[in-house]
Amino acid sequence: MMQEVHTNEVRNVLTLEEIANLAAEGGQPAETLMNVVALIAKRFRTDVCSAYLLEPDRANLVLAATVGLRRECIGSLRMAVNEGLTGLVAEQVRPVSVEQVKNHPRFKYFRDAGEDAYQSFLGVPLIERGVLQGVLVVQTIEARVFSEDEIRMLTEAATQVAPVVSEARTLDRFIAPLQERLWALARNLWWSWDHNSSSLFLDLDPARWNELNHNPVALLGEMPLAKLETRAAELMLHSRVNYAYRRMLEYLEADRTWGTRHAGVLRPHPVAYFSAEFGLHESLPVYSGGLGVLAGDHIKSASDLDIPLVGIGLFYGQGYFRQRLDVGGWQREEYLKTDVNQMPMEVAIGKDGRPVVVEIETRSGRIKAKVWRVDVGRRDLLLLDSDVEGNAPEDRELASRLYGGDLRIRIRQELLLGVGGLRALKALGISPGVLHLNEGHSAFAVLEAIRMRMQEEGLAFDAAVPRVSREVVFTTHTPVPAGHDRFDAGLVEEHIGPLREALGLSKESLMGLGRENANNSDELFCMTVLALRLSRRANAVSALHAEVSRAMWTGLFRDKLEDDVPIGHITNGVHVPSWLAPQMFRLYDRHLGTDWHQRSSEAKIWLGIEDVDDGELWETHLNLKSQLIEFVRRRAVAQAEHRGESRETLQRLERVLSPDALTIGFARRFATYKRANLILTDIERLASMVNDPNRPVQFVFAGKAHPLDEPGKRVLQQIAELMRDPKFRDKFVFVEDYDINVGRHFVQGVDVWLNNPRRPLEASGTSGQKVVLNGGLNLSVLDGWWAEAFDGMNGFAIGTGRTHSNMSVHDARDGEDLMRTLREAVIPLYYQRDRDGLPRGWIKRMKRTIRTLGWRFNADRMVMDYTLKCYVPAAGGTSSDMRASS
């Protein structure tokens, strides 16, 4: 309902006395101006109030203060006086009132401001002593006709504010360079893998930084300029901020990169990298686990290497669930809405200068989505958001939760990701040369690409398919048939029917594209089958996973032997700067050379680890272990307080775990095949092991079970209940709400990383790879990446890689092997010390782990492999390819 400000309610929006009081509180003109616009917005009952200052050239306006628009635009959002409605006020030096801004011929959308939600506009000139100083603007979400009284009152307010504006304009800069540069850092996720930059935000307010889940946009948004300047002066941050800002610019502008040398063909037509989730940082919660974190690491390494690539995903307004355990150890889920104003995102602007909105026709109506853009170093990530006006209520909630809802929601999400994602690229003027599907969720993108090619080149479907397929790369991650999305014919026709007709396909022909046996009408439509049929290059994510995948999909390639099924492998890797502890980073700087991280995929770089003093490496590890224990204690106490535990329990948890004990970590999704409870196979032997006074062992666990996975929740409960068992409660701690932050602490501080999935169901697994460069050792079943990494001396293996057709026998045997390896190999080696108190044998394994695995299992090597073996060939960029004739 429109809210008019009545003169009998408020005679003046602002008085001179109030201006004086606000000036006294703020001190600096910029601070006063922020206080003024906040008060005007409140008094005038508008969603936005902004002040724009006329620059010295009197040809441009710059945003100086705002409530409602994005505060990070202050000082950087500029417009000519002949641009937009604000410029019209300055140009005509009179009030301008518009009920529906998009209908006005002078309307111009400014991409950085975040003003797409606002419909009405009222702007008045700021005049001091007869000279134009700027423009005062109010905006509202709902369409509103401003009355003559309201226009008069805002004009009077502008008269009162004008002296403050005049004073601000007399300064060299009304916005502090410090603040502007911190905002520039905060808006690009490059800061999240640059330790110097992230430490700046930590130092500004350590307590608040942790409370805000390490979100610099939220931190800066609530920090007044005066406080920011005070903290910067106290800590002498100015030079550090300038250094970080300069390094970011050098990074973004560098042109002598690996990508420039090896991937130039992708520059005009980049890779479109589709993924249902992206785990970039804990402050951007659009991920759940390994698939998303891998996608995040992939785009970060693409940035570091400078591979032309655009990420496409969905924006989940409630993300994945927040996890809490009740007093019985049972998982409870809570969903919280993400405040988009506190995310490092901005509205994506299309070729026409307007916010991109994509539409997808289905049998049951249109689905619309806006598009957010996230800066990830040199690369862009586009996130489609269905919470837009014009969508049905169910579609506004469509992308609210990751992996939530039924099959109908799932197929609509995947339609939005694939078809909507490709249409978003087109609206932005991006013509991809390669489509990379990270798992089958986005396979509909290939159908849309075929439709576009048919339309552009006047081709029939059968002629367009091979032209598109040669540009498609498909990565499969799921080693079990039940893990692949399948939909019945009704759901497929409801959602793909209009696209099917545009492709000139019958219902049965389309269904055949998603069936192993195209003629089997009883078979469901499988997204992985669609992706395999329509991609020239398909890969698994480890050598063993490739064998499993080829065996799984022999039915799709009936004319080929199992070994000839066209699924190769590129083993996953992790983005080193994102997961490496700063202390280890500095250690490598000292001993491997300061450019080691730019060459981390080269084996020779890691030879220098053997020359590091054992004591220095061990002391660095112990410091990281101490940090982990302190983190776990804080989280354990907070969890117990939330459950209303006794004071005695809280005091015990403040001292839980010992820095002297062998510390084993386990953190991952609590799917039953990952067997988090394998360690409980012989509970009495385990109790004896953890309570050995001479060689104690302790465990830290974290992970989430899918909300609908009751067996997984029961396994989680088994682990959690050990915290209340007198025999284990000081030796087992479960950390709730597993996310990137929890994972980072775990992989940087544990002695041993435990991984015991039921072979061969682990496609790759990357958590153990994150441990490697931080000095931890892996204790793992020979599955996924570890099956190709273990050399007998760079960690520990559980079993010999043999399996058993009887699952109970398989699990019992692995459980016994796990306990034997702990008892006979891991524990004795850890506690074998020399006269200096150093475990020389253990440190030798640490160094071997780093030397033999650091270069192989990192994301730079992975992305290089994708670029040279998939992207460049798919884009037609190879200079030679001699194929033998059959």
Side-chain angles (χ1 to χ4, degrees), residues 48-259:
V48 173
C49 181
S50 306
Y52 295 81
L53 303 192
L54 196 63
E55 294 206 296
D57 62 6
R58 304 196 65 78
N60 293 281
L61 292 160
V62 59
L63 181 64
T66 187
V67 170
L69 299 185
R70 295 194 171 188
R71 288 187 62 178
E72 58 264 41
C73 293
I74 293 173
S76 60
L77 177 62
R78 286 174 167 78
M79 67 191 74
V81 294
N82 60 0
E83 288 184 299
L85 292 168
T86 303
L88 184 62
V89 177
E91 195 173 40
Q92 298 184 351
V93 198
R94 66 174 180 81
V96 173
S97 176
V98 181
E99 181 183 3
Q100 291 277 2
V101 293
K102 293 179 182 178
N103 296 332
H104 196 283
R106 276 291 293 264
F107 170 73
K108 179 175 180 180
Y109 183 80
F110 291 91
R111 59 183 298 179
D112 294 325
E115 60 180 357
D116 52 311
Y118 306 113
Q119 298 190 53
S120 65
F121 172 99
L122 173 58
V124 297
L126 290 158
I127 300 172
E128 164 74 357
R129 297 174 186 170
V131 178
L132 181 68
Q133 303 289 333
V135 177
L136 184 64
V137 173
V138 293
Q139 295 169 266
T140 61
I141 293 175
E142 289 186 297
R144 174 170 164 182
V145 178
F146 291 97
S147 70
E148 290 297 322
D149 278 341
E150 289 176 303
I151 296 172
R152 175 189 58 78
M153 293 168 65
L154 190 63
T155 302
E156 291 176 356
T159 302
Q160 311 292 3
V161 173
V164 177
V165 174
S166 178
E167 185 181 359
R169 289 186 66 246
T170 63
L171 302 178
D172 288 336
R173 290 191 65 86
F174 63 87
I175 180 72
L178 173 80
Q179 187 181 39
E180 183 179 6
R181 291 181 175 187
L182 282 170
W183 271 113
L185 289 166
R187 287 195 298 264
N188 190 317
L189 284 171
W190 174 81
W191 71 264
S192 69
W193 70 88
D194 180 73
H195 297 139
N196 291 325
S197 298
S198 59
S199 68
L200 289 171
F201 300 116
L202 166 67
D203 291 345
L204 283 173
D205 192 333
R208 196 68 184 126
W209 176 245
N210 289 324
E211 291 168 2
L212 292 170
N213 209 21
H214 313 133
N215 183 339
V217 174
L219 180 72
L220 295 177
E222 67 179 34
M223 184 171 284
L225 179 58
K227 180 179 178 182
L228 183 64
E229 289 287 2
T230 299
R231 287 291 293 167
E234 291 172 349
L235 301 172
M236 295 180 288
L237 292 181
H238 287 83
S239 60
R240 287 174 56 196
V241 171
N242 291 338
Y243 175 67
Y245 179 74
R246 188 166 59 251
R247 287 182 58 250
M248 183 181 74
L249 292 183
E250 291 171 353
Y251 174 89
L252 296 176
E253 296 168 3
D255 60 358
R256 296 183 179 181
T257 61
W258 190 90

Side-chain angles (χ1 to χ4, degrees), residues 451-505:
R451 183 196 68 78
M452 289 180 174
R453 189 66 61 90
M454 290 169 63
Q455 185 179 60
E456 291 167 3
E457 300 185 17
L459 301 173
F461 178 81
D462 289 343
V465 167
R467 299 193 184 190
V468 171
S469 294
R470 69 169 63 103
E471 299 171 356
V472 179
V473 177
F474 170 56
T475 301
T476 179
H477 294 264
T478 310
V480 290
H484 300 266
D485 289 337
R486 288 177 166 83
F487 305 109
D488 63 39
L491 278 176
V492 172
E493 176 60 21
E494 178 189 353
H495 295 93
I496 304 298
L499 179 56
R500 172 186 64 75
E501 291 176 346
L503 293 169
L505 296 176

Side-chain angles (χ1 to χ4, degrees), residues 522-537:
D522 294 327
E523 190 178 335
L524 296 175
F525 185 96
C526 177
M527 297 295 283
T528 303
V529 172
L530 177 66
L532 287 169
R533 282 191 185 277
L534 297 180
S535 60
R536 176 72 61 86
R537 294 167 179 82

Side-chain angles (χ1 to χ4, degrees), residues 812-825:
R813 190 162 61 190
D814 281 355
E816 178 59 36
D817 284 339
L818 169 58
M819 296 302 289
R820 181 187 306 110
T821 304
L822 280 170
R823 186 175 61 252
E824 298 178 2

